[in-house]
Every structure is written in structure tokens, then in C-alpha cells.
């Protein structure tokens, strides 16, 4: 009889995995432990790719850049308290950079945490996460898991994307209920990132302003790359003839050698532009807050999905609130043919300055001094990678970041992944792993030797999953440089690392291929061989310890004070 037929049961673990799969989550990046080890096992058993890391910060960075590349939330999984906290830097970095990701973390028993009775890994994780994320939610009942997952995914991807924290206490994961009842609590998101169209009058106001400009300029931010409206961005730029400057992660949206690129005439462009259109770029420190180096009379047109972004740093004369693709569609629709045309005198002025600066850079790149300098090593990387445009470039450091950004040109969208808006070190291996896992394409991670140290243990993860990632370390033996001295005693100076460090031997410990390069020619040979192998490799480029400047191109941000410098 019906009464004695056993009811099929389910539990919290299964509901989390079912809800994720129902909403097209196909990969989880994490570090296992109580109370989520079985969640990782179950996800893997049910066909979700689980990528196991050595530190939660790197797993979180991987989830964040997966979100940026896929335009759907990346998912990180952490254990309670210390594991959760380790993931927060990546969750905050995702929020600052507007990358969609969800960090799911197990947490301890609510009744013990709330009475501070000293539970295992006790912490009020929901409260701890709040200040650093776009939103934070806790699921307190097993029947709310479906709602919690749906809510977290929608919040991460809709509007301005960002990092969302989802807290699931151990007791909820372990709760059991009839499967039929559990299944009814699951739902698939409908239109999680709805298009947001601009008002027609806002579009007309922007067209007026752009049409009146003598010296118009477009700034392409990583939001323009994230939008995956590449043809429409290119169409807008080429149909108006407006020169553009790409921010670092927008490089490649149009090829860096595009005739309208003003990247190599950036200071002249900012100083003289009279109407500036920001597409997915914010007027923050990376653009001198629209102040330093800009024409003080410049007027701004800004496309941003968040209305609150307008006027954050400068008055915005023509705000265009909406998603970039919808705004570009509306501009195309409402602009009369030829109405917006960049004056050729302005384009020629910028073109002439670009040609001058490119010639200067070419001279510096041709020099081949010994010991090896950043320029020589990075030119070698650039020339090898040019033949493989599908290669992702991951990049972090100070000099290693700033010089590589200028030397390594990009030709396809969303293939340069770097420290971004927050200037955070430690993104390298996580970004490289996710780019390789999500795309299957080769990845070259150009790392400062200090920056590499933040996530270097993930070389083991790269080898374990046999990923096509070549880590190229600019080993100048220091944070910024390797030649600082400590005149007071025999302890190393605060900025020095070991220039004799053999990072190439590190990867051999995990079965990968290590190379040591002391000349650009050796870099070329090693990188060519490493990319051809399709497997994990590490090239330790021995760079002159006196090469580079403190903090790279942002040394002016160091407070003056009474310097103790030697
Ligand atoms: C998490 C974190 N810690 C510390 C810093 C400070 N910092 C640090 C430690 C950098 C590393 C610079 O050394 P490097 O070897 O990576 O690069 P170069 O020597 O080529 O300049 S760049 C930078 O801003 C940071 N930005 N982020
Ligand atoms: Mg260094």
C-alpha cells in the first residue's frame, strides 16, 4: 500500500547541487573541508566540474574572472570562518571590478554562534561579509536553499555585476526532507540580467554633445569588454571616427594597432579632448578622477548601468543609464548618418603623436642590454604571443604590470586579465587557472616575482589539472626592485627578495617544465617551446635587480612624509 512505499529523500547538499545545475552553473572553484567536502564530491558526481585549490583566495579569484569571461556568475566554495575569510579578498575584488561571482560558504551552528558558545570555526560570517560585497544572504532552512541560490545568482549578474556571499550553515546542508517536497523549492532564473534601455531624450542629449565636439574622445573600460557587444562597440567607434583610449582590460576590444587607437597618445588625448565618452569606464583613480591630466573644460558623456555612478567624480553632461549594448543600439538608431564625425584635424594630431611615441618605444625595445631588462624580456613575450592571438595574458606586479601593459599589445577582446581597478596582487594563478579551465586556450601569466609569491603554490593546481598555463616571472629580485640595501644590519631590505631564487625548480617539484632565461633570446626559445608543449611551464626571467621604479608608474601615490629612504 502507498503507506509503506519508502518516500524518496533528499538533503541540503543535493538541493544546493540541483539548484546550481538548474541555473547552468557548470564549474565550482574551491577548497574543501568541514562542512562542504561532501558538497564538492556531490557536485563532481552530478557533472559539475570541481577545481580544487590550495588557498581560497585563489579559488575566489578564479570564480571572479570566470564570471567576467562568461558573463554569468562564477562560483567559489569555502569552508567556515578562516576559509570563508580567505575568500573575502577575492569577493571584494570581484565587487570592486564588477565581476559576477557567488561565494558559497559553509558556516557553523547558528545557536552556538549567536550565543558565542565557542563552536568549531565560530564566526558570524554573514555580518563579516556585508561591508565587502554587493549583497550577502544566509539560508537558515533547507527549504530555502533553492531561493537562496537563485537570489544570489541573480543579484551577482543583474545591474552592476558584483560579488555575492551566500551563507549555508552545516545543519542546513545536512537536513533531510522528502525529495518531492525539496524539488518544489527549486527554480530556474528567468532573464537574470535584464536589458536596461536608456531614455530616448538621454540618447538625443548625448548625440547633440558628441556631434558638437571639436576633439571627441572615447574611453573604453572593462565594462565595454564585459558587455560582449564587440561588433557594436567597433561599429560605433568606426562609424563616428572618434579616437579611443582602452583601459587595460579593454585592450583588444579593438586591436591595439587600430588606426583610431590613441593609447600611445593618451596624455595628449586627455589634455585636449573637449567631449569625452566613457563606455563601461569609471572616472576613478585610474583616470585621475577626471581631474589630473584632463582638459579642465572637458564635458563628459557616460554610459553606465548604475545611475549612481554619474557625477561620482565629475559632472556628467550627458548621462546614459543602461546596459552598454542597449545604449549602443539606441545611439545607432537615433543618430542621423554623418551627424557624429570626429574632425580629421584632431585625428591627425593624435595620429602624429602616436607615431612619435611608437617610434620612441620601438627604439627602447630594440636595445638589448645585459643584464636583461623588463623591455627585452617583455618584447620577447610579445613577439611569441603575437603568433598565438588566442592566448590569454594574465598580468600582475608593479613594473611587471605597467611595462607589460604597454609592451604586449592585444588583438582580441577579454584576453588581458590583470590587477584591474583595485591594483590587487595575488590574482595571477587564480585568473590563469580559470581562463584555461573556462576556455581551453593557452594562458601566459606575466608575473612580478613578488606578485607571483601571493599565489605561487597554485602551480601545483596547474600541474594537477595539466593546464596549458605558462607562468613567466620577471625576477628582478624584489618588490619593485631588487637592489635596495639595509644599512643598519644584515637583514634584507624590506623590498628585497632573492634574485637568485630558482622559481623554475619550483614547477619541477610538481612535474611541470621549468626554464631559466637570462637573455631575450632565451625567453623567446623557452616560451615558444612551452606554448608548443600545451602543458604547465614556468619561465624564470632573470632581470637586472636595479631595473624598475618603486611602485612602477604609480609611485606618486606613496605619501611623502619625512622619508627614511637611503
Ligand atoms: C594584496 C596586495 N599586497 C601588497 C600590495 C602592494 N604591491 C606589491 C607587493 C607589489 C609587488 C611588486 O613587486 P613585483 O616583483 O611583483 O613587481 P616588480 O618588481 O616588477 O615591480 S605591487 C603592489 O602594489 C598589493 N597591491 N596587493
Ligand atoms: Mg619584482
Amino acid at each position: 500500500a502507498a503507506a509503506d512505499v519508502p518516500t524518496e529523500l533528499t538533503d541540503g547538499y543535493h538541493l544546493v547541487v540541483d539548484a546550481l545545475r538548474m541555473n547552468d552553473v557548470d564549474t565550482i572553484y574551491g577548497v574543501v573541508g568541514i562542512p562542504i567536502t561532501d558538497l564538492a564530491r556531490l557536485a563532481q558526481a552530478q557533472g559539475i566540474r570541481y577545481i580544487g585549490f590550495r588557498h581560497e583566495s585563489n579559488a575566489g579569484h578564479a570564480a571572479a574572472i570566470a564570471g567576467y569571461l562568461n558573463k554569468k556568475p562564477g562560483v567559489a566554495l569555502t569552508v567556515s570562518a578562516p576559509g570563508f575569510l580567505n575568500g573575502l579578498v577575492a569577493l571584494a575584488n570581484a565587487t570592486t571590478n564588477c565581476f559576477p561571482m557567488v561565494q558559497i560558504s559553509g558556516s557553523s551552528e547558528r545557536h552556538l554562534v549567536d550565543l558565542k558558545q565557542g563552536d568549531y570555526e565560530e564566526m558570524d560570517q554573514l555580518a563579516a561579509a556585508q561591508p565587502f560585497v554587493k549583497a550577502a544572504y544566509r539560508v537558515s532552512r533547507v527549504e530555502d536553499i533553492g531561493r537562496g541560490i537563485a537570489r544570489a545568482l541573480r543579484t551577482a549578474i543583474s545591474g552592476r555585476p558584483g560579488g555575492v556571499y551566500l551563507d549555508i550553515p552545516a545543519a542546513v546542508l545536512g537536513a533531510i526532507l522528502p525529495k518531492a517536497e525539496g524539488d518544489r523549492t527549486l527554480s530556474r532564473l528567468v532573464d537574470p540580467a535584464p536589458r536596461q534601455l536608456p531614455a530616448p531624450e538621454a540618447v538625443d542629449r548625448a548625440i547633440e554633445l558628441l556631434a558638437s565636439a571639436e576633439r571627441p574622445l572615447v574611453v573604453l573600460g572593462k565594462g565595454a569588454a564585459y558587455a560582449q557587444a564587440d561588433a557594436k562597440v567597433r561599429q560605433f567607434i568606426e562609424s563616428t571616427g572618434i579616437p579611443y583610449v582602452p583601459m587595460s582590460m579593454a585592450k583588444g576590444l579593438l586591436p591595439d594597432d587600430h588606426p583610431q587607437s590613441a593609447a600611445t597618445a593618451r596624455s595628449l588625448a586627455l589634455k585636449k579632448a573637449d567631449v569625452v565618452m566613457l563606455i563601461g569606464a569609471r572616472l576613478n583613480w585610474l583616470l585621475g578622477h577626471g581631474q589630473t591630466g584632463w582638459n579642465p573644460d572637458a564635458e563628459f558623456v557616460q554610459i553606465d548601468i548604475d545611475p549612481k555612478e554619474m557625477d561620482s567624480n565629475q559632472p556628467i553632461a550627458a548621462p546614459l543609464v543602461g546596459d552598454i549594448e542597449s545604449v549602443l543600439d539606441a545611439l545607432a538608431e537615433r543618430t542621423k548618418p554623418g551627424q557624429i564625425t570626429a574632425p580629421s584635424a584632431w585625428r591627425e594630431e593624435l595620429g602624429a603623436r602616436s607615431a612619435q611615441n611608437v617610434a620612441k618605444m620601438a627604439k627602447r625595445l630594440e636595445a638589448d642590454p645585459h643584464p636583461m631588462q623588463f623591455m627585452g624580456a617583455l618584447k620577447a613575450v610579445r613577439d611569441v604571443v603575437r603568433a598565438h592571438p588566442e592566448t590569454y595574458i594574465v598580468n600582475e606586479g608593479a613594473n611587471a604590470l605597467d611595462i607589460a601593459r604597454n609592451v604586449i599589445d592585444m588583438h582580441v577582446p577579454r584576453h588581458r586579465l590583470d590587477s584591474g581597478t583595485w591594483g590587487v596582487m595575488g590574482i595571477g594563478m587564480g585568473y590563469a587557472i580559470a581562463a584555461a579551465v573556462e576556455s581551453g586556450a593557452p594562458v601566459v601569466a606575466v608575473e612580478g616575482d613578488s606578485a607571483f609569491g601571493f599565489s605561487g603554490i597554485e602551480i601545483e593546481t596547474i600541474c594537477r589539472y595539466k593546464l596549458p598555463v605558462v607562468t613567466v616571472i620577471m625576477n628582478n629580485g624584489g618588490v619593485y626592485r631588487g637592489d635596495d640595501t639595509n644599512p643598519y644590519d644584515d637583514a634584507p631590505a624590506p623590498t628585497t627578495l632573492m634574485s637568485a631564487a630558482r622559481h623554475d625548480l619550483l614547477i619541477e617539484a610538481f612535474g611541470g617544465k621549468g626554464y631559466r632565461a637570462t637573455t631575450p633570446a632565451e625567453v623567446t626559445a623557452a616560451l615558444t617551446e612551452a606554448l608548443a608543449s600545451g602543458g604547465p611551464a614556468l619561465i624564470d626571467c632573470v632581470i637586472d635587480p636595479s631595473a624598475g621604479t618603486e611602485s612602477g608608474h604609480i609611485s606618486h601615490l606613496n605619501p611623502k612624509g619625512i622619508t627614511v629612504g637611503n
Side-chain angles (χ1 to χ4, degrees), residues 374 397-400 447-451 474-482 495 497 547:
F374 285 102
N399 297 286
E447 298 277 305
D449 50 331
S450 164
M474 299 285 123
N475 181 0
N476 65 344
V479 181
Y480 313 130
R481 298 165 59 128
T495 54
L497 301 173

Side-chain angles (χ1 to χ4, degrees), residues 57 59-68 72-76 87-103 132-135 155-157 160-165 222 226 249 282 418-424 427 431:
S57 196
H61 285 315
I65 211 68
Y68 167 73
K72 64 180 200 160
V75 174
L88 274 194
V89 166
L91 199 55
N93 186 54
T95 305
T96 307
N97 280 281
C98 316
F99 298 155
M101 75 168 273
V102 174
Q103 176 180 342
F132 308 112
V133 296
K134 177 176 179 184
T155 307
I157 195 71
R160 180 193 288 295
V164 173
Y165 174 60
K222 63 177 165 309
Y226 171 79
M249 282 179 62
R282 293 170 287 184
D418 63 25
S419 301
T421 307
W422 223 23
V424 66
I427 52 98
Y431 282 15

Side-chain angles (χ1 to χ4, degrees), residues 119-448:
D119 191 11
Y120 166 73
E121 295 198 338
E122 176 175 295
M123 170 172 272
D124 182 351
Q125 292 167 205
L126 186 68
Q130 292 288 4
F132 308 112
V133 296
K134 177 176 179 184
Y137 305 111
R138 174 183 291 136
V139 176
S140 301
R141 304 180 308 170
V142 66
E143 59 268 33
D144 292 334
I145 285 177
R147 179 77 29 257
I149 296 275
R151 193 140 170 65
L153 292 171
R154 177 179 289 277
T155 307
I157 195 71
S158 58
R160 180 193 288 295
V164 173
Y165 174 60
L166 183 64
D167 183 283
I168 308 184
V172 173
L173 287 170
I176 296 169
L177 73 167
K179 185 169 180 342
E181 196 184 311
D183 289 352
R184 272 198 301 281
T185 65
L186 303 177
S187 61
R188 179 178 167 75
L189 289 167
V190 175
D191 193 13
R195 290 182 344 119
Q196 293 181 231
L197 280 66
E201 64 275 18
V203 176
D204 294 344
R205 183 187 302 119
I207 292 170
E208 286 288 298
L209 193 51
L210 287 164
S212 70
E214 292 296 309
R215 297 180 303 284
L217 178 72
V218 164
V219 178
L220 294 174
K222 63 177 165 309
Y226 171 79
Q228 294 193 21
D230 307 340
K232 293 178 180 173
V233 170
R234 184 159 192 161
Q235 168 60 18
F236 177 77
I237 295 284
E238 292 183 343
S239 63
T240 59
I242 298 181
Y244 71 92
V245 169
M247 301 306 284
S248 72
M249 282 179 62
K251 280 166 64 80
L253 196 45
L254 285 88
D256 271 342
D257 55 3
H258 192 283
Q260 288 173 247
S261 168
T264 47
R266 176 179 154 129
S267 17
L268 177 67
L270 269 53
K271 206 162 57 221
K272 293 192 71 173
D274 59 351
V275 175
V276 180
M277 182 178 195
L278 302 161
I279 304 183
R282 293 170 287 184
L283 274 178
N284 55 26
W285 71 281
L286 287 163
L287 283 169
H289 302 287
Q291 199 93 35
T292 329
W294 288 89
N295 168 4
D297 306 325
E299 292 191 274
F300 291 94
V301 178
Q302 183 159 15
I303 304 181
D304 202 293
I305 200 155
D306 178 0
K308 292 195 315 305
E309 184 58 35
M310 306 299 170
D311 300 338
S312 61
N313 283 272
Q314 293 299 330
I316 303 300
L320 282 166
V321 178
D323 68 273
I324 287 171
E325 181 162 11
S326 301
V327 173
L328 292 175
D329 286 345
L331 283 165
E333 206 182 295
R334 302 181 71 86
T335 305
K336 298 184 197 64
Q339 190 176 3
I340 305 174
T341 312
S344 45
W346 170 233
R347 292 181 56 176
E348 278 148 28
E349 185 180 0
L350 289 176
R353 176 63 60 86
S354 286
Q356 265 174 10
N357 291 341
V358 166
K360 264 191 242 160
M361 170 69 102
K363 267 232 296 297
R364 293 174 61 199
L365 284 168
E366 283 319 316
D368 185 4
H370 298 284
M372 184 158 61
Q373 304 294 310
F374 285 102
M375 283 280 185
L378 292 168
K379 175 179 179 295
V381 172
R382 177 197 73 181
D383 294 348
V384 172
V385 166
R386 257 189 187 155
H388 306 270
E390 77 288 357
T391 305
Y392 284 86
I393 299 288
V394 171
N395 189 206
E396 61 176 343
N399 297 286
L401 174 77
D402 294 337
I403 301 171
R405 179 178 46 238
N406 294 338
V407 170
I408 301 175
D409 45 356
M410 303 306 293
H411 300 271
V412 288
R414 292 174 296 284
H415 273 61
R416 179 184 161 85
L417 310 171
D418 63 25
S419 301
T421 307
W422 223 23
V424 66
M425 292 301 116
I427 52 98
M429 297 300 101
Y431 282 15
I433 288 166
V437 164
E438 298 291 340
S439 72
V443 180
V444 172
V446 179
E447 298 277 305

